Amino acid sequence: MKIENVELIRIRMPLKGAFRTSFGSQSVRDILLVHVVTPDADGWGECVSGEDPGYSSEYIDGSQDVIKRFLLPPLFAAENPTSANVAELWTTVRGHRMAKAAVETAILDAELRARGESLGEHLGAVRDRVDCGVSIGIPGSIPELLDQVAGYLGQGYVRIKLKIEPGWDVEAVKAVREANPDILLQVDANQAYELADARHLAKLDPFDLLLIEQPLGEERVRDHAELARVVRTPICLDESIVSAHAAAEAIAIGACSIVNIKPGRVGGYLEARRVHDVCEASGVPVWCGGMLESGVGRAANVALAALPNFRFPGDTSASERYFAQDVTPPFVLEDGTLRVPTGPGIGVAPIPEVLAELTTSREVVTP
Ligand code: OSB
Ligand code: MG
């Protein structure tokens, strides 16, 4: 499909509250939207890299630079760039998966809009709603944490995820579990521990957690397999799983028994589906992670989460959990679920007036 131009739009979206993790705290999202214009339809993608390289090595200014200098020129030069062949056009660009995912998604969205097919249909969705959890950053105190948990449970969220780090782990989990004996509960360490902390992490075992997410470093895959022999709580990998190949290897050595899928982290929705398929073939359940996306990224995540091997609630919370004003029509929680969009492509688009209000910069890249 011929690409006429690509707009790189940065929007500023204040978060309702600060979101603190072991790698930093954020209270405003600085989001890059990729808007692809073709003769047949427009397409939208959201880049999920953070403002700083705290979650992974990618960061938003770097992503925008890579998109402009290395990802778009081969697309403009290609006879017929499509979502199915962009990966081949980018074989000489190592890494930068979040940048690639954003552009590939925008192209895929344009293709699907042009032929009137929804992303859910295209990916193989088997549900029209997905179960939603909420990810809670590290707060100032246990009472504050208990308040937040109670608030989200009151809204209907069906699973709670607590961010943990050394010094904020067993006591926090114990308090939440004692106050809520029956809820689905899990934790995410974002690489904050070492294998030497295995005995300490095993102290989480009595609290019946669904999983512990990425306790050790991104490259410590074998250490996760060692850890899995010491702790009873299932190990789930997030940062380490950068591709379907990485998923297959991690599973083969027993480093994880559950996988968090984030399309940005693995380079797009097509690779995300391959991760899903590899895990399914190995009997490993997956769930959909989140990167505090706007409605653009959320729409596509919700479609992905409707695939059959997504067996746990996702970090796919409603717009209102993050923002006073989303850039698309808001995603609203209904009985603990979000509805999978059914319109063509990702099924939503930025509301022009809201987009204009939130925009901090706009760059049009042409052939
Ligand atoms: O590790 O899952 C993570 C947010 C930003 C970066 C990394 C992570 C997260 C979350 C939030 O946990 C999930 C959400 O979007 O609600
Ligand atoms: Mg995580």
Side-chain angles (χ1 to χ4, degrees), residues 55 161 163 188 190 213-214 238-239 260 262 287:
Y55 165 78
K161 162 169 141 182
K163 291 288 189 180
D188 184 1
N190 288 110
E213 182 178 342
Q214 198 72 41
D238 173 355
E239 287 92 322
N260 165 324
K262 290 177 181 169
W287 57 281

